[in-house]
Amino acid sequence: MIVLFHSPKGGVGTSAVAANLALVLAERGVFVTAVDLTGQGALALCLGDSSGVIDRSRQAEGDAAMIVAGVRVMAPGADRTAAEIVAAIQSHEDEDGDGVVIVDIGSGDRHALDLLLPLAALRLCVLTPDPAALAALPLVYRDVQATRDDRTFFLLNRVDDRLRLGRDIATMLRGLLGDRLLGTIRRDEAVGEALAMLETLASFAPASAALADFRAIAGRLVPERADAAQPERGIA
Amino acid sequence: MTDDVSRLLEQLGQPDLEYRVFADKVETPGYWPIFRLIHAHPALARLPGAQRRSYPAERAAPSGEGWSGADRRVGGPGKLFRRYGEAQAPAAPEPEAPSDDIRGLLRRLSE
Ligand SMILES: Nc1ncnc2c1ncn2[C@@H]1O[C@H](COP(=O)(O)OP(=O)(O)OP(=O)(O)O)[C@@H](O)[C@H]1O
Ligand SMILES: [Mg+2]
């Protein structure tokens, strides 16, 4: 299945959430392909890969995907046509019937979102409990895609109940979104620290609160498989 | 600071530690003017499956004290946003009946 990650608001953690869900799904034995359409290379970094940052020539390009922490990473170059991107994503989906293709789409990239929505099983919209993200919420439903709306779900990221405004906004969103809210992820310094350490969250901070939240959401997306095998680790 | 906390901090040798009591989870959440803007937005009426429950603090709308800025200037909470809604928003479509719940959807996806 193809899962799109897109938020109308930038900086809410869409890439971090996409990458960490890719990791915890791989941990469950799911065959995961992560496609970075943001052009930032942030997805590979969030997976704990340093090569894209240190040597951009080694960044995953086109179909020549690399494996990072058990997740296959693809970053189609900016020169790719829409049709080529769609074909590449579909080829990854077809190969592995029960695999998951996670696509990170930049917040401003309506074009990629519209292009891929018809192919996707789910679109996960990341929000944070702050007024700017709240104000961007109506944009999700700006152009009603009647046939696709039933696939849009929300994730509330960087939740911190110690802060009054954030707590109030989170409560309001839980009421507003109801079943559409697939899960919440606590604000957790370990998310950034793992990035800085060029490690995955699971290896850097196994007791991380955010990691537990990512695992709970992964469990909702893909039920535990009896034959779950540990994916291979390391960079291929 | 309660006695037990100050004793604990002393035991830890941390008398200077900053300490604050965080609000109880069951406290009534605060209501901010921006919530009305979001609740009134016609686009969100199209959100299928969302419960669009009325928010407890909205039902118990405060009587005007505590409201600030633009809201107070237009004569009360929400007036500004209501006016905005009337002037600019197209008629809100009927909210769709909840099409399915998340479990149903995920079940379909995994089939
Ligand atoms: N749950 C979390 N707790 C703490 N920090 C977080 C959490 N999620 C994300 N972050 C941090 O928030 C920052 C923004 O994350 P990220 O780059 O993933 O956002 P984005 O929405 O993809 O941004 P962009 O719009 O630029 O693509 C990063 O520093 C990331 O480490
Ligand atoms: Mg990003």
Side-chain angles (χ1 to χ4, degrees):
Chain A
M1 78 174 159
I2 296 175
V3 183
L4 306 181
F5 284 79
H6 176 267
S7 174
K9 183 79 183 70
V12 293
T14 302
S15 299
V17 170
N20 279 292
L21 282 176
L23 286 170
V24 294
L25 284 169
E27 196 180 72
R28 294 171 79 87
V30 177
F31 195 94
V32 184
T33 302
V35 183
D36 189 341
L37 293 186
T38 67
Q40 295 179 351
L43 202 54
L45 178 65
C46 292
L47 293 168
D49 172 61
S50 58
S51 57
V53 184
I54 290 157
D55 175 7
R56 291 195 79 84
S57 65
R58 282 202 57 216
Q59 224 177 301
E61 286 286 338
D63 303 329
M66 61 180 184
I67 310 285
V68 183
V71 174
R72 183 159 57 168
V73 188
M74 270 177 69
D79 54 331
R80 291 306 186 93
T81 65
E84 283 172 327
I85 291 173
V86 169
I89 289 174
Q90 275 182 319
S91 76
H92 281 280
E93 197 202 17
D94 290 345
E95 274 170 43
D96 341 275
D98 52 357
V100 173
V101 184
I102 278 175
V103 189
D104 182 11
I105 302 174
S107 62
D109 196 352
R110 297 273 318 170
H111 178 67
L113 180 67
D114 290 341
L115 187 71
L116 296 174
L117 261 175
L119 310 176
L122 279 179
R123 172 226 181 156
L124 294 181
C125 175
V126 180
L127 297 171
T128 45
D130 67 79
L134 194 59
L137 181 59
L139 291 178
V140 178
Y141 289 92
R142 186 178 51 188
D143 314 317
V144 191
Q145 304 237 7
T147 53
R148 292 296 135 183
D149 257 1
D150 62 339
R151 282 138 211 241
T152 294
F153 287 81
F154 296 84
L155 294 171
L156 194 53
N157 186 33
R158 275 199 238 122
V159 171
D160 186 343
D161 280 343
R162 290 170 303 178
L163 308 173
R164 187 163 63 105
L165 176 59
R167 193 169 62 223
D168 290 344
I169 293 178
T171 306
M172 183 272 200
L173 281 173
R174 285 187 187 104
L176 180 72
L177 299 174
D179 279 350
R180 295 270 129 185
L181 186 62
L182 187 60
T184 59
I185 301 128
R186 280 166 284 179
R187 191 175 79 165
D188 183 350
E189 269 182 302
V191 173
E193 288 172 350
L195 271 187
M197 294 298 288
L198 304 175
E199 280 186 45
T200 64
L201 197 50
S203 73
F204 172 72
S208 150
L211 178 63
D213 297 336
F214 287 126
R215 285 182 173 145
I217 294 165
R220 253 162 263 158
L221 279 174
V222 176
E224 191 85 64
R225 293 187 339 184
D227 61 332
Q230 278 300 308
E232 283 173 41
R233 301 271 152 189
I235 299 165
Chain B
M1 190 183 298
T2 54
D3 288 350
D4 51 337
V5 173
S6 56
R7 259 199 312 278
L8 177 66
L9 292 181
E10 231 162 78
Q11 275 169 21
L12 293 171
Q14 301 274 4
D16 297 334
L17 209 74
E18 252 189 70
Y19 168 77
R20 199 177 123 200
V21 180
F22 292 109
D24 193 331
K25 281 239 182 235
V26 297
E27 109 191 293
T28 309
Y31 190 80
W32 304 78
I34 194 173
F35 291 2
R36 191 176 293 275
L37 177 69
I38 297 301
H39 276 123
H41 202 287
L44 292 178
R46 302 185 190 112
L47 220 165
Q51 290 158 19
R52 298 189 54 73
R53 268 184 256 138
S54 128
Y55 179 68
E58 189 182 26
R59 289 195 298 266
S63 58
E65 84 200 56
W67 296 98
S68 58
D71 230 26
R72 198 192 295 132
R73 281 197 296 279
V74 296
K79 287 269 169 60
L80 178 68
F81 299 132
R82 259 198 300 281
R83 201 177 49 182
Y84 164 84
E86 282 159 15
Q88 310 202 353
E94 283 294 299
E96 286 166 50
S99 52
D100 208 345
D101 64 5
I102 179 72
R103 275 165 291 279
L105 175 83
L106 295 174
R107 208 179 312 117
R108 281 204 314 274
L109 292 176
S110 63
E111 271 159 16

